[in-house]
Amino acid sequence: MVNITIDNKQLSVPEGTTIMEAAASAGIPIPKLCYLKGINEIAACRVCLVELEGMEKLITSCNNVVKEGMVLYTNSPKVRAARRKNVQLILSQHDSKCATCVRSGNCALQQLANDLNIIDIPFKQRLEEFPWDKDFPLIRDSKKCIKCMRCIQVCDKIQDLHIWDVTSTGSRTTINVTGNRKISEVSCSLCGQCITHCPVGALRERDDTEKVWNAIADKKKVVVAQVAPAVRAAWGEALGLPIEEATVGKIMDSLKRLGVDYVFDTTFSADLTIMEEGNEFLERFTKGELKLRPMFTSCCPGWIRFIKSQYPHLVPQLSTAKSPQQMFGAVMKTYFAQSIGVAPEDIFTVSIMPCVAKKGESNMELFYKEYAGHDTDVVLTTRELTRMIRSAHIDPKTLVDRECDPLMKEGSGAGVIFGATGGVMEAALRSAHYLVTGRNPDPDAFKAVRSPAFGTGVIEAEVKLGDATVRAAVVSGLGNTRKLIEAIEHGEVHYDFVEVMACPGGCVGGGGQPIHDGEELAHERGKNLYFLDEHSKIRFSHENPDVLKLYEDYMEKPCSHKAHMLLHTDHNAWEMPRGN
């Protein structure tokens, strides 16, 4: 243990503890901008300065460890003056038009400037301006970048994609796409982790809310919305609703009050995905097609972008099933359109998703009978949904629980847990067990594939399906995914079925979810989904009555010719556009 003094408090802390961590343990917060524990500890912002007795120069607290006998001051006149000047310098290179920034009210720099009572900037303002493709789902505003390096570190260390890099030197040092290329020229997975870890508004999703407002105003359009499982676990955070009050029924009510004609829960099409993907897996498994390499899930578009750019030879191992989002859109423009007597081209499908990559996935085309267009017309992130609610001046406290509209009202607990890492695998195994044995397992029989904590790498499990043993693996985060694929390719491990989610923790930690600077809430949000599953009246996808009715009335059975035409895709034939 090391004995130190911070702001006249005597402490005893373990060796190797940083000054910032030691101060936090004593309830002494030290301001920071660039710091992310274990990821970005380079003191680029120079905001976390402290004064060390006996030393003339101030030192950074995030990357200096404690030493025996240190006497430190975190808020001395010298520290306050230096911290204030450093923030003013950062502001001199930052576009401070907070009123038109999506991060206003949730910006670390704005909060710090307010805390330091900065009301003027004595330095000449110099803003960088780099051109950007505004049609790309991920938007970067170089004028707001504070060079904290978080985006670089998260993309390199967590996602292992190296999309961002430092460019230029000296006073012109800045951040840009690696190799000074356009964002459309690199293999960005659109996971959005750079957005959720940016402390300011330099990175955001493309805002598509006006497209939805325009569709709502168009009397020729029938606007149909779906809400993904992970959205219900997070949307209330941005509106001040406690988790027990932020129900999916209130999301449905808010959408109706915004003017949406029909509202549905994506758990319906998650159950549909399980019916298709589960049957496909059993067919490929029993035919011996998975002896060399596993079948990979295909419901995460960030993962699809990753495998196509990094391991294109493994694309045939993907399930051919579309994602729940795309299945929903396809069913809306065929089965549902027919049921309400509306032409498919007059159906406007909106997806509320926790994901930025879903915006790219919505470019997937749908050709069915006379209709040629897209499964999904517009994708909104959870953040965009909450902005629409605010812009309509809807008081969240006045929202009530509203059921989904008929025909596709039902969803199972298995569909709900799609939003957490391991959820797709668990849901698939529940139904696969039934398809093989003819009886339901205990709903929690496959909980071994659940993530025990945030940041867990690969989860492995061997499960019995009748007389067969299935070797399953679950992985989230693209850095972990790369390690897993390399192990598979080198013959170090073998699996039959692998679930991959691009975002750490799964969709609940998606790039479109509410942002809480310095906090990782994916695991806690996932717990909420498992709670909802545990208390669902239906816990198996194959028992969803609306899914069964869809097959009976429209597609005969899972993986039938008609189901393949509507609910599956050829990943080899379909090139996911990089640009949008």
Side-chain angles (χ1 to χ4, degrees):
M1 301 296 284
V2 178
N3 298 304
I4 61 171
T5 302
I6 302 181
D7 292 348
N8 299 316
K9 284 188 178 181
Q10 294 184 346
L11 306 174
S12 183
V13 297
E15 285 188 34
T17 303
T18 64
I19 296 170
M20 181 179 286
E21 291 169 335
S25 70
I28 303 171
I30 297 178
K32 54 188 181 292
L33 269 178
C34 65
Y35 177 78
L36 284 176
K37 183 174 173 58
I39 299 171
N40 198 42
E41 300 177 348
I42 57 175
C45 65
R46 310 295 292 179
V47 169
C48 66
L49 295 170
V50 295
E51 183 176 359
L52 173 60
E53 194 172 89
M55 180 177 285
E56 183 179 348
K57 291 185 177 180
L58 300 177
I59 61 174
T60 52
S61 62
C62 71
N63 60 355
N64 278 299
V65 298
V66 295
K67 294 181 180 178
E68 182 66 33
M70 272 185 166
V71 177
L72 300 154
Y73 302 96
T74 68
N75 202 34
S76 66
K78 189 175 182 179
V79 168
R80 286 200 303 273
R83 191 174 285 154
R84 202 165 188 273
K85 177 177 280 190
N86 287 344
V87 173
Q88 286 174 324
L89 284 166
I90 292 170
L91 287 168
S92 73
Q93 297 183 15
H94 175 78
D95 184 356
S96 300
K97 295 175 183 177
C98 298
T100 56
C101 179
V102 294
R103 290 293 296 275
S104 183
N106 185 22
C107 170
L109 179 59
Q110 184 185 51
Q111 180 66 53
L112 187 57
N114 289 340
D115 291 347
L116 294 174
N117 196 31
I118 295 175
I119 55 178
D120 60 74
I121 304 170
F123 305 105
K124 182 179 178 181
Q125 191 169 53
R126 181 172 65 86
L127 303 179
E128 292 178 350
E129 190 159 6
F130 290 102
W132 193 265
D133 179 3
K134 295 300 176 66
D135 290 326
F136 196 74
L138 186 153
I139 303 295
R140 180 175 184 268
D141 187 344
S142 58
K143 299 189 298 297
K144 295 178 181 176
C145 179
I146 62 171
K147 290 84 177 172
C148 68
M149 314 292 180
R150 281 192 187 184
C151 56
I152 296 175
Q153 301 282 35
V154 168
C155 196
D156 288 3
K157 294 180 179 179
I158 304 299
Q159 299 298 70
D160 199 13
L161 276 172
H162 309 277
I163 300 301
W164 307 106
D165 203 357
V166 176
T167 64
S168 299
T169 59
S171 63
R172 293 182 176 85
T173 300
T174 188
I175 312 297
N176 205 345
V177 178
T178 300
N180 288 317
R181 290 174 287 177
K182 295 178 180 178
I183 188 66
S184 58
E185 296 172 346
V186 294
S187 301
C188 175
S189 71
L190 286 175
C191 68
Q193 294 303 301
C194 56
I195 297 176
T196 57
H197 290 84
C198 179
V200 294
L203 292 164
R204 61 175 175 85
E205 73 277 19
R206 183 188 67 215
D207 190 285
D208 291 322
T209 57
E210 284 303 313
K211 295 177 184 177
V212 179
W213 285 122
N214 291 338
I216 290 171
D218 188 342
K219 294 182 180 180
K220 295 180 181 179
K221 293 293 184 184
V222 176
V223 182
V224 182
Q226 61 168 313
V227 179
V231 175
R232 74 205 63 199
W235 75 289
E237 298 165 7
L239 297 173
L241 288 176
I243 194 166
E244 62 273 9
E245 293 182 19
T247 61
V248 69
K250 290 182 179 179
I251 301 178
M252 302 305 172
D253 188 41
S254 70
L255 290 169
K256 285 284 190 176
R257 288 168 66 171
L258 291 174
V260 173
D261 297 300
Y262 295 92
V263 293
F264 297 101
D265 192 332
T266 312
T267 54
F268 165 83
S269 50
D271 288 334
L272 188 58
T273 298
I274 288 302
M275 297 297 285
E276 294 297 316
E277 193 169 73
N279 277 278
E280 180 188 4
F281 167 71
L282 289 176
E283 181 180 346
R284 293 172 73 169
F285 180 71
T286 53
K287 284 183 177 179
E289 295 178 8
L290 309 178
K291 289 182 178 178
L292 293 179
R293 294 187 175 112
M295 186 180 95
F296 294 101
T297 57
S298 58
C299 54
C300 172
W303 151 238
I304 300 299
R305 295 178 77 95
F306 177 84
I307 194 173
K308 285 189 171 186
S309 67
Q310 308 297 308
Y311 300 95
H313 65 288
L314 293 180
V315 169
Q317 299 305 123
L318 289 169
S319 165
T320 61
K322 291 180 180 179
S323 72
Q325 169 179 278
Q326 298 305 108
M327 283 195 185
F328 177 93
V331 171
M332 284 300 105
K333 296 199 173 182
T334 53
Y335 175 63
F336 180 74
Q338 179 180 302
S339 73
I340 63 172
V342 174
E345 54 268 25
D346 292 330
I347 297 283
F348 189 88
T349 54
V350 180
S351 296
I352 314 298
M353 294 285 146
C355 179
V356 178
K358 289 289 184 185
K359 288 180 180 282
E361 186 188 48
S362 66
N363 288 301
M364 182 186 289
E365 294 175 325
L366 171 65
F367 299 99
Y368 192 78
K369 294 184 178 180
E370 294 82 14
Y371 177 72
H374 297 283
D375 297 304
T376 305
D377 293 300
V378 166
V379 176
L380 300 180
T381 62
T382 309
R383 293 191 295 270
E384 287 171 283
L385 169 65
T386 58
R387 293 203 293 270
M388 286 190 74
I389 292 172
R390 284 200 183 99
S391 68
H393 305 291
I394 296 173
D395 183 351
K397 294 178 182 177
T398 66
L399 294 171
V400 297
D401 282 311
R402 179 190 288 268
E403 287 190 337
C404 298
D405 286 301
L407 203 61
M408 284 155 289
K409 180 190 291 186
E410 298 293 345
S412 73
V416 170
I417 61 175
F418 256 60
T421 180
V424 176
M425 178 65 69
E426 184 172 351
L429 291 175
R430 288 181 192 178
S431 288
H433 183 280
Y434 171 79
L435 293 170
V436 170
T437 67
R439 63 181 186 277
N440 285 336
D442 181 296
D444 298 317
F446 306 111
K447 63 192 303 180
V449 298
R450 299 180 187 179
S451 176
F454 180 78
T456 303
V458 178
I459 302 166
E460 302 173 312
E462 287 194 359
V463 298
K464 295 288 289 184
L465 295 181
D467 296 329
T469 299
V470 173
R471 288 161 292 189
V474 170
V475 63
S476 69
L478 293 175
N480 292 329
T481 300
R482 190 185 295 278
K483 293 174 186 175
L484 177 65
I485 292 179
E486 290 297 327
I488 292 172
E489 290 295 270
H490 287 91
E492 298 168 13
V493 293
H494 175 72
Y495 307 105
D496 302 303
F497 196 11
V498 177
E499 177 206 304
V500 182
M501 294 290 171
C503 295
C507 302
V508 282
Q513 296 281 62
I515 298 171
H516 301 271
D517 191 47
E519 294 183 67
E520 302 289 357
L521 298 179
H523 189 65
E524 292 304 311
R525 293 168 180 162
K527 286 181 181 178
N528 184 32
L529 298 186
Y530 285 114
F531 174 83
L532 294 174
D533 167 44
E534 184 181 347
H535 292 85
S536 294
K537 62 180 181 180
I538 305 171
R539 297 195 66 188
F540 299 94
S541 297
H542 58 268
E543 291 185 348
N544 184 325
D546 287 339
V547 168
L548 296 176
K549 189 174 189 303
L550 169 64
Y551 282 116
E552 181 183 341
D553 293 349
Y554 203 70
M555 294 188 299
E556 299 173 3
K557 63 180 182 179
C559 293
S560 65
H561 176 71
K562 198 168 185 179
H564 264 283
M565 292 286 291
L566 197 62
L567 306 178
H568 291 252
T569 186
D570 182 354
H571 294 292
N572 287 298
W574 176 58
E575 289 295 328
M576 183 175 286
R578 284 184 176 180
N580 46 34

